[in-house]
Amino acid sequence: MKVLVTDPIADAGLSVLREAGHDVETNYELEGEALLEAVSSAHGLIVRSGTEVTREVLEAGENLVIVGRAGIGVDNIDIDAATDHGVIVANAPEGNVRAAAEHTVAMTFAAARSIPQAHVRLKAGEWAKSDYLGAELNGKTLGVVGLGRVGQEVAKKLDSLGMDIVAYDPYISEERAERIGAELVEFEACLEAADFLTVHTPLTPETEDLISDAELELLEGGYLINCARGGVVDEDALAAKVEDGTLSGAALDVFAEEPLPEDSPLLYVEDVIVTPHLGASTEAAQENVATSTADQVSAALAGEPVINALNAPSVDESAFPRIEPYIGLAETAGKVATQLLEGRMERIEVAYEGEIAAEEVDLVTASALKGVFEPLEWQVNAVNAPQIAEDRGVEVTESKTRQAEDFQSLISVTVSDGDDELTVDGTLFAGDDPRIVRIDSYRVDAIPGGRMVVTRNTDEPGVIGLIGTVMGSHGVNIAGMFNAREAIGGEALTVYNVDTEVPDAAREELEGDDRIIGVSYITLDGGL
Ligand code: NAD
Ligand code: MLT
């Protein structure tokens, strides 16, 4: 399969992809139409922060299965559009944390001691010793905005250098903050207390311009460090506040527009020091994120779970072998249920009984939804199935019970059109042999696969013979059948596996007989 790489990643990642047999195309100059053209034949796309993966790009990527981000920030990827198109987005959230934290610490020292400014002057032949009187970090207060992976690592490192740590992060617990020696405080309190303020949030609509004029006033006399994302700090306001002396200095690795435009005021204020987005640029970090991303792209292209998928149900790698067989079973049960209901889908319930109920089943439920929606010809996969249900107003519920009645594990998919509902139960015999074991109140033992015909008929002599004769006279070979009934002489349900499509003439003949209450024709695309 083709994997297109549009931003430079370490060779180790490219090797992982080639060793997995993929055709790897690297092109770091692609823009506009050329990018759309290249992505149209790609199954995987790997980017860093340079490529904007817009809705248009995702629309052009007709064969795309996954976009891998070799790094943390995914603000350059339209995740909603990816979900709409059933494309997985996965990042590499661990591999460059240490590198980003070390760079932040380096930038903090560089700002506190004016290292870049003194360096430039000495290289120019000037011994400006008396011009620089720096600030010590020891005993000062570090304010951390965003106490996630990088923020915590920075806090730990600077705590060990004698700084007091306060942090603002509305989404983490006080307990977690305490464990790394940080005191969680409100945003304004964090700004007011900080001698050095370091930003470690993602760029989101909520964090855009989070730190602007008024916030910088609260940091009066302090330093601002941003090695997270441009756009979180208002650059014009920051340049002005350093220039007029409200702030002692700033150190920035990231910018609202990258590369930083030549006319940016940040370039002309002496005490604003800058690096060109180098936070993750260490050999170790680049190797880590490249191999982790390549592994995930390879997994997605092999139909395996993607560990850091941001828009698909995630699965623990060690649990995957236990749930893998149920993914296909749930999809099949969903497909059978939806083809039997024949109504407008309003509600879907996926229920788990027995051992499977002990597992993380998000991916299994998503597969059941995929099965339900697929015969309705919606463009669906396990990534976008939950979103499609939500968009179409289909209520989805999931339930679990560890108690099992007849089977070690059972998955039930119930579909409802608001008036009628229908349940299909599936299980695995011997751990991997799928069976449909119940359709509504009928206990059956049907092997799901290929084409199936499900008849409801009166339980009387000659009906099964009639069905067999009609099928035979129209050249339809019956490969297997299972008959179940509620009570002698009542209603019966029969599941047939047939080798070919049932022609219209045969359908008319069957449906025209008074003893046949209803017939459904099911296709499982080759089944399991
Ligand atoms: P993370 O998801 O682990 O942490 C982000 C934290 O920000 C979370 O704890 C979250 O709760 C918090 N947060 C979200 N909204 C907030 C708000 N409004 N106010 C305060 N806190 C908020 O991410 P991470 O791995 O720690 O990465 C942090 C940032 O660093 C990201 O933007 C990432 O892209 C960037 N990064 C940059 C480089 C670089 O090269 N300069 C390298 C790695 C990471
Ligand atoms: C990230 O978010 O991981 C960083 O921006 C690193 C990068 O890709 O350069």
Side-chain angles (χ1 to χ4, degrees), residues 75 82 95 110 143 163 175 178 275 306 330 341 397 406 463 471 503:
D75 40 289
M163 295 192 83
E175 215 187 330
E178 266 167 31
T275 48
V306 175
L341 182 73
T397 54
D406 301 317
V463 182
M471 297 280 199

Side-chain angles (χ1 to χ4, degrees), residues 72-73 75 93 96-97 100 145-151 168-172 200-204 206-207 210 227-229 253-254 277-280:
I72 296 172
D75 40 289
N96 63 25
V97 168
V145 178
L147 200 56
R149 294 184 186 88
V150 179
Y168 168 68
D169 187 326
Y171 306 111
I172 84 146
H200 298 288
T201 66
L203 176 65
T204 63
E206 186 195 348
T207 61
L210 180 70
C227 293
R229 273 294 174 274
D253 183 47
V254 288
H277 204 146
L278 291 183

Side-chain angles (χ1 to χ4, degrees), residues 63-290:
N63 302 303
L64 263 190
V65 174
I66 180 165
V67 177
R69 162 65 163 106
I72 296 172
V74 284
D75 40 289
N76 53 324
I77 301 171
D78 188 335
I79 296 184
D80 290 343
T83 304
D84 290 347
H85 288 86
V87 176
I88 300 168
V89 177
N91 67 350
E94 307 284 350
N96 63 25
V97 168
R98 216 164 313 138
E102 285 187 9
H103 195 70
T104 306
V105 171
M107 292 292 267
T108 310
F109 275 120
R113 305 299 289 271
S114 306
I115 292 171
Q117 298 92 323
H119 166 88
V120 168
R121 288 177 69 182
L122 184 52
K123 286 270 177 160
E126 225 187 315
W127 188 260
K129 183 171 164 72
S130 56
D131 283 358
Y132 296 107
L133 190 62
E136 278 179 23
L137 302 192
N138 182 49
K140 300 285 186 329
T141 298
L142 177 75
V144 183
V145 178
L147 200 56
R149 294 184 186 88
V150 179
Q152 290 184 27
E153 193 65 27
V154 169
K156 278 191 260 175
K157 289 186 187 318
L158 289 177
D159 179 50
S160 73
L161 290 172
M163 295 192 83
D164 296 324
I165 317 290
V166 295
Y168 168 68
D169 187 326
Y171 306 111
I172 84 146
S173 69
E174 278 181 22
E175 215 187 330
R176 180 79 193 106
E178 266 167 31
R179 246 185 288 150
I180 54 158
E183 183 193 352
L184 266 192
V185 295
E186 289 304 319
F187 188 36
E188 282 73 19
C190 185
L191 291 158
E192 276 168 349
D195 299 302
F196 291 81
L197 189 86
T198 183
V199 178
H200 298 288
T201 66
L203 176 65
T204 63
E206 186 195 348
T207 61
E208 191 167 1
D209 282 336
L210 180 70
I211 299 175
S212 193
D213 219 55
E215 292 73 28
L216 294 170
E217 281 287 337
L218 297 177
L219 185 62
E220 194 179 354
Y223 293 80
L224 182 128
I225 322 295
N226 185 5
C227 293
R229 273 294 174 274
V232 179
V233 181
D234 177 337
E235 293 176 355
D236 289 340
L238 179 66
K241 293 286 180 215
V242 177
E243 178 133 61
D244 71 13
T246 308
L247 296 187
S248 297
L252 308 172
D253 183 47
V254 288
F255 307 93
E257 190 183 335
E258 295 183 5
L260 185 60
E262 279 174 20
D263 60 353
S264 166
L266 297 169
L267 291 173
Y268 303 99
V269 178
E270 170 78 1
D271 288 326
V272 176
I273 64 174
V274 288
T275 48
H277 204 146
L278 291 183
S281 297
T282 66
E283 228 169 84
Q286 283 313 304
E287 206 160 289
N288 288 343
V289 296

